Amino acid sequence: MSGLDVRDLTVRFGATAAVDHVDLAVPAGSVVAVLGPSGCGKSTLLRAVAGLEVPASGTVSYDGQDLAGTPTHRRGFALMFQDGQLFEHLDVAANIAYPLRLRRRSRADQRARARELLALVGLEGYADRLPATLSGGERQRVALARALAVEPRLLLLDEPLSALDRGLRERLAGELHDILRAAGATAMLVTHDHDEAFAVADRMAVMREGRIVQAGTLEEVWSRPVDGWTAAFLGYATVLTGDRAARLRELVAPGEPWESVALRRSALRVDPTGPLTARVEEARVTPDQIRLQLDVDGAGSLPGVADPGSDVRVGARVRVSIDTSRIALIPSDLSGVEP
Amino acid sequence: MTLRVRWGTVAIAAVPLTALVLFFVYPVVGMLARGLWPDGSLDLGAVTEVLGRPRTHRVLWFTVWSAGVATLVSVLAGLPVAFVLHRLRFPGRDLLRALVVVPFVLPTVVVGVAFRQLIAPSGPLGSLGLDGTATAIVAALVFFNISVVVRTVGAFWEAIDTRREEAAAVLGASPWQVFRTVTLPALVPGIVSAASVVFLFCATSFGVVLTMGGLRYSNVETEIYLLTTQELDLTGAAALSILQLVVITALLVLAARVRRSPGPVDRTTKRLPRPRLRQLPVLLWAGLVIVFLMAPLASLLSASLRQGDTWGLDNYRALGTTGAHNALLVPATTGLANSLQIAMVATVIALVLGSCVAFLVSRPGGGRPMGVLDGVFMLPLGVSAVTVGFGFLITLDKPPLDLRESALLIPIAQAMVALPLVVRTLAPVLRSVDDRQRQAAASLGAGPLRVLLTVDVPVAWRALIAAAGFAFAVSLGEFGATSFLARDDNPTLPVVIYRLIGHPGAENFGMAMAASVVLAATTAVVMFAVQRLRVASVGAF
């Protein structure tokens, strides 16, 4: 196949397997996010793909060619670190032109390409600045431009936005998405932030304790989390199992085989025509909606929302409806079972 | 509040400054005055006359040439060792790190003797015909100073974030390109810093040039010694001392300009890699350098175990005697006991003074005055130990300060020599403390002393112990100043060794070898213990 293909890869640090029999594909032209909590081995996986870690077993190949004997600098990849790792002694233009200089491109070429990339990442006029004078977001853009300079056949992004503050992170995530598409890049992104993964990638793989527990398109993973842990990690507010889930069974897909159900915060909504009854435990006004904690009869304490301006008081009894587009059915919950 | 802090600063600065004035400036000025005011009137014509002598020019040229070549070779030889010992992981690395520092703290006399033992016509490398050549002197200077390069550059190397090099590699840089474009620029401040200090040490080296140069080669330092003790030309000695002082001050200012402490090392980063096959050239290079460092020591050891044609421990047993023809007034073991005792006292003095200086110069926002203070306490590194030692003799022997009979005379002299090294070990560690931690502690109600105890001391105690060990090792080996001050009935071990070499007889020579081994082993053990503390600034500049 064309693109990156990781087969049965294991990387060990002493006795522990940081990456444990991982299979992963990054088809050419796609952006794949590896999502997992810190310490799950996702960065090690990325480093192994880059050739910075030596695998204990398994293969990393690109366009069908095994890369086992290919040192890092001959793989034709580019890696962008969480903190950019700009070369502090070079100015912005020289940082971006660095990979071009290695390949002995002409000076005119280097200048032109640096200008082009600065425009791509929205930093025109920054060519002569030193990295120390840049803000965190600007540094990451320069790092991205540098990584894109020689049109790497695979771009590796290690938590590219995690070091930034929230507002900037959200804006840059959108820009990163557009820049990667504009550059036609094939990219592998590792992150612990599901928002970042959803904003940037078209496919994702969820990693936990060295293993890939689920992989697919964003839609597939989001709508069918493989277990409760994955659902919680993807940003679902609550996962219901057992008796509490049973109360909801007749309301959502009674015919299908599922054991647990994951609910987003806005899955339960105060609705006078709703099928469920509940008592309001907490109510907090936010700009978009009223956030509630509801004691749902038969299902226990669950988060919910009400439209702004609606009259809900703590202690009041209300009727509640379920928005089935904001829940996910989980076939069997293995979250408590160690692999 | 500000006023109180200022007074505190003045009080803390007063202690080491007083010591520096009394035990460094006063003797050195006294020594210079003796030469410049020979008859109670200033005689500058004599100074220009001395500086115009052809012999002075020859001495100057040899000083600059030998120091320059030795510095260049030290840097070239030290770089791969710095890489191997600070960026790779392999069994025995810590032992090697300690062994590499041993030459630096060895008494210069022992270094001279060890080299002569190796290259003398009868020695293992006698066939090279190096005995008494300038090449041999340069080799000995290199031997002495490689560790400065290894420790200083090694500290910078450790501080480089390996991910920066990985970033370059992933962008397509070959290992050599990574080194040239990323690693080397980050090392340059360390290399310049190490090179300037090595040049300083080489240009003021005394024991090595004296024992190996014979009558053919002389640098400014040995020339001052010869003029003072042999020709009694104090004017000439003073003129050269002043010249040396001016040049060295300029060098120190230059070194302070470029000195930048390596960034904080991220201790949480992953373990260092093991050596790889493709690094073979660097490994071989480093291996050769380490062999070069160990060969004179090994030769010393083998000579100490040989008496005539037989092997044994007779030379070591002889250490309990006064040598053949009573070369010594007291047994060599007494010299060892003296050395240990004196080094202990010198360590305490150097540590107290050094802590004060390091504390002051590491306060953020000290600005220019603290920079000057930092530089002033580096002066003992570069000023001729001969001038200091002789200055002690002629200024501290009469009121107001008569220390001739005091047991503290030698410890004080040694403490002045060790002081800059203590400051250089402690200050970078104290500087690495984020000042906001002190502010946080103060805002939570901690007074200045409690801030010191709860923020600075927990970070600095290892460095404090390491500095103590380093000062101890340096004091044990100090020869330049001690040789003027130690009396024959109460010598230190380096002085004993020098006396034994000066006396004829194979037994005395064997004893000198055994005593050198004992001294080298003691310093090696101390340095190994220091090494275990893992304080990167030890022996770095």
Side-chain angles (χ1 to χ4, degrees), chain A residues 277-322:
Chain A
T277 53
R279 194 176 62 84
V280 179
E281 290 182 317
E282 277 174 45
R284 198 153 51 81
V285 178
T286 68
D288 296 331
Q289 58 199 5
I290 302 175
R291 293 187 162 203
L292 306 170
Q293 192 66 31
L294 301 166
D295 184 11
V296 180
D297 297 337
S301 186
L302 289 170
V305 295
D307 291 328
S310 47
D311 183 27
V312 278
R313 297 231 173 79
V314 173
R317 290 202 63 83
V318 292
R319 294 198 76 83
V320 177
S321 65
I322 297 184

Side-chain angles (χ1 to χ4, degrees), chain B residues 85 88 90-101 151 527-528 531-534:
Chain B
L85 294 187
L88 296 178
F90 53 89
R93 187 196 60 185
D94 286 358
L95 184 67
L96 277 182
R97 279 194 191 181
L99 281 177
V100 164
V101 187
R151 299 292 304 182
M527 286 319 290
F528 187 67
Q531 188 62 50
R532 302 295 295 176
L533 291 166
R534 298 181 187 286

Side-chain angles (χ1 to χ4, degrees), chain B residues 74 100 102-104 106 110-112 114-115 137-147 208 289 291-297:
Chain B
S74 296
V100 164
V102 168
F104 181 68
L106 275 186
V110 174
V111 173
F115 259 81
I137 295 178
V138 168
L141 291 174
V142 169
F143 170 82
F144 208 56
N145 284 297
I146 279 182
S147 78
V208 167
V289 172
V291 167
F292 164 72
L293 289 179
M294 294 305 127
L297 300 179

Side-chain angles (χ1 to χ4, degrees), chain A residues 14 47 50 52-54 72-73 77-79 81-90 98-99 101-104 139 146-147 150 156, chain B residues 160-186 266 270-271 276 278:
Chain A
R47 291 170 58 82
L52 297 169
E53 301 289 349
V54 182
T72 299
H73 64 281
F77 299 169
L79 171 58
F81 284 90
Q82 181 173 357
D83 47 4
Q85 293 298 340
L86 299 181
F87 304 132
E88 302 290 336
H89 59 287
L90 302 176
Y98 180 85
R101 218 172 63 215
L102 294 176
R103 288 161 180 79
R104 303 188 190 289
R139 294 173 70 91
R146 184 179 70 181
V150 285
L156 303 165
Chain B
I160 295 178
D161 191 336
T162 51
R163 289 175 306 161
R164 188 143 306 167
E165 294 163 320
E166 288 169 0
V170 180
L171 291 168
S174 66
W176 169 245
Q177 285 171 319
V178 171
F179 178 76
R180 206 168 44 80
T181 58
V182 179
T183 315
L184 197 57
D266 188 1
K270 66 191 181 75
R271 290 198 296 174
R276 299 217 190 135
R278 62 175 173 76

Side-chain angles (χ1 to χ4, degrees), chain B residues 454-524:
Chain B
T454 50
V455 177
D456 292 274
V457 171
V459 178
W461 69 269
R462 279 165 176 285
L464 211 61
I465 297 176
F470 197 33
F472 187 78
V474 168
S475 300
L476 269 185
E478 210 287 328
F479 175 66
T482 310
S483 61
F484 277 89
L485 304 174
R487 292 198 318 245
D488 284 346
D489 59 346
N490 212 12
T492 64
L493 198 52
V495 174
V496 164
I497 294 167
Y498 188 65
R499 293 263 182 288
L500 285 171
I501 296 166
H503 278 78
E507 286 168 50
N508 287 337
F509 183 76
M511 258 179 89
M513 294 296 130
S516 297
V517 170
V518 169
L519 194 54
T522 312
T523 46

Side-chain angles (χ1 to χ4, degrees), chain B residues 110-155:
Chain B
V110 174
V111 173
V113 171
F115 259 81
R116 301 256 344 231
Q117 173 59 27
L118 196 62
I119 60 176
S122 59
L125 298 181
S127 57
L128 296 178
L130 289 173
D131 198 14
T133 64
T135 312
I137 295 178
V138 168
L141 291 174
V142 169
F143 170 82
F144 208 56
N145 284 297
I146 279 182
S147 78
V148 175
V149 176
V150 173
R151 299 292 304 182
T152 306
V153 179

